[in-house]
Amino acid sequence: MKSRPYPLQQHPRFAAALSALGVATRSVALPQGASLQVVQRCGVRFASRGPVFDLDTSTEQRIAALRQARLHLLNAEMPDPALRQAGFRQTHSAASVAEMPLDRDILARLYPKWRATWRRAGDLTLTTAPFCARAHGWLLQAEHAQQRRARYRALPHALIAAFAATGRDAAVVYTATQADTPVAAMLFLRHAPIVTYHLGWTSDAGRQCGAHHKILIAAARDHAAKGYCRLDLGLVDTHNSPGLARFKIGTGAVIRQLGGTWIKLPWL
């Protein structure tokens, strides 16, 4: 796979899904053939997890590209002094993400306790299928109930169907069953050469037997075999979601700091 490694929010598939839902998006050309996906709402131009510059892109090129994008709000992909030089001001500190390299060392990087749980997940049957709104409605309902219980918000489920419609292999669901009963599932969004974990659900039985551990390693191995280079596990929030953060950190994923939230007002 030779595609540029864009994070989910900067991939053309994500922009196409947003457009299908009526969200105004546009692509801005950047140096070395890269692009920036920009969302516009109520006159505000916003970009998330961008821009993605090549390492050899000069500071002057980055400043010029940021000005050309005419953004009002930006959740930056990485720290960059060019942001301030382009007229942006930081409003929120940077969050961190967990990224699993998909190579031959997937198992070697697992923390001992995490690996032990994965090994204990024995009598589970795993199935894999492209996301289907009808077939996987149960998963969306279960995850929505989970949102209410845990008091968190996620991207709307309609976006999953729109993303899945961008390609036959765009969204995939891994389901773990025990005695023919689903006990856990995880949904992944593919945007080669990266795959992103998007949502998951587990029952008490699935949690006790480490079903998500087994699913995640199976998904990582499958996508490594298909040529994907990285599995994005999303944000790591040790304060509000310590259990989920421990799960992600235990995979041995690289914990990388993003660039923070920046604003640019017309008079700045």
Side-chain angles (χ1 to χ4, degrees), residues 37-107:
Q37 306 301 329
V38 179
V39 174
Q40 182 165 327
R41 283 185 171 177
C42 302
V44 175
R45 289 182 292 275
F46 166 70
S48 181
R49 295 289 303 271
V52 178
F53 291 115
D54 288 342
L55 294 178
D56 59 351
T57 305
S58 69
T59 299
E60 291 74 18
Q61 287 177 314
R62 298 199 306 275
I63 293 171
L66 287 164
R67 288 173 174 166
Q68 177 189 345
R70 298 174 60 212
L71 294 170
H72 299 106
L73 188 63
L74 171 68
N75 284 335
E77 174 66 359
M78 58 186 62
D80 189 348
L83 286 163
R84 193 170 296 279
Q85 295 177 59
F88 287 86
R89 297 295 179 265
Q90 189 167 6
T91 62
H92 292 80
S93 58
S96 295
V97 292
E99 299 173 333
M100 283 182 71
L102 298 182
D103 54 25
R104 65 183 65 186
D105 295 324
I106 291 172
L107 298 182

Side-chain angles (χ1 to χ4, degrees), residues 2 5 10 34 43 66 70 76 90-91 106 153 161 164 174 209 212:
K2 298 182 180 180
Q10 282 300 308
L66 287 164
R70 298 174 60 212
Q90 189 167 6
T91 62
I106 291 172
R153 296 182 64 182
Y174 283 69
C209 69
H212 271 174

Side-chain angles (χ1 to χ4, degrees), residues 83-160:
L83 286 163
R84 193 170 296 279
Q85 295 177 59
F88 287 86
R89 297 295 179 265
Q90 189 167 6
T91 62
H92 292 80
S93 58
S96 295
V97 292
E99 299 173 333
M100 283 182 71
L102 298 182
D103 54 25
R104 65 183 65 186
D105 295 324
I106 291 172
L107 298 182
R109 277 189 294 267
L110 299 177
Y111 282 31
K113 187 175 180 180
W114 206 103
R115 185 185 295 111
T117 302
W118 167 68
R119 284 176 172 163
R120 285 200 306 269
D123 60 339
L124 293 174
T125 300
L126 295 188
T127 57
T128 309
F131 172 79
C132 171
R134 180 178 300 176
H136 297 114
W138 66 270
L139 172 59
L140 300 185
Q141 291 174 5
E143 197 272 337
H144 185 66
Q146 182 175 266
Q147 286 188 42
R148 292 198 303 269
R149 287 194 304 272
R151 297 183 180 180
Y152 70 90
R153 296 182 64 182
L155 291 172
H157 288 163
L159 184 60
I160 299 172

Side-chain angles (χ1 to χ4, degrees), residues 7-9 49 77 95-100 186-188 191 194-199 216 230-238 241 244-249 251 253-258:
L8 175 65
Q9 296 87 337
R49 295 289 303 271
E77 174 66 359
S96 295
V97 292
E99 299 173 333
M100 283 182 71
M186 300 178 86
L187 183 146
F188 299 87
H191 44 108
I194 300 174
V195 56
T196 292
Y197 161 69
H198 185 64
L199 62 81
L216 187 62
R230 188 165 77 227
L231 171 53
D232 189 335
L233 295 176
L235 296 178
V236 175
D237 187 344
T238 56
S241 302
L244 183 57
R246 286 194 297 271
F247 176 84
K248 294 176 180 181
I249 293 169
T251 66
V254 175
I255 308 302
R256 181 174 65 84
Q257 189 177 61
L258 300 179

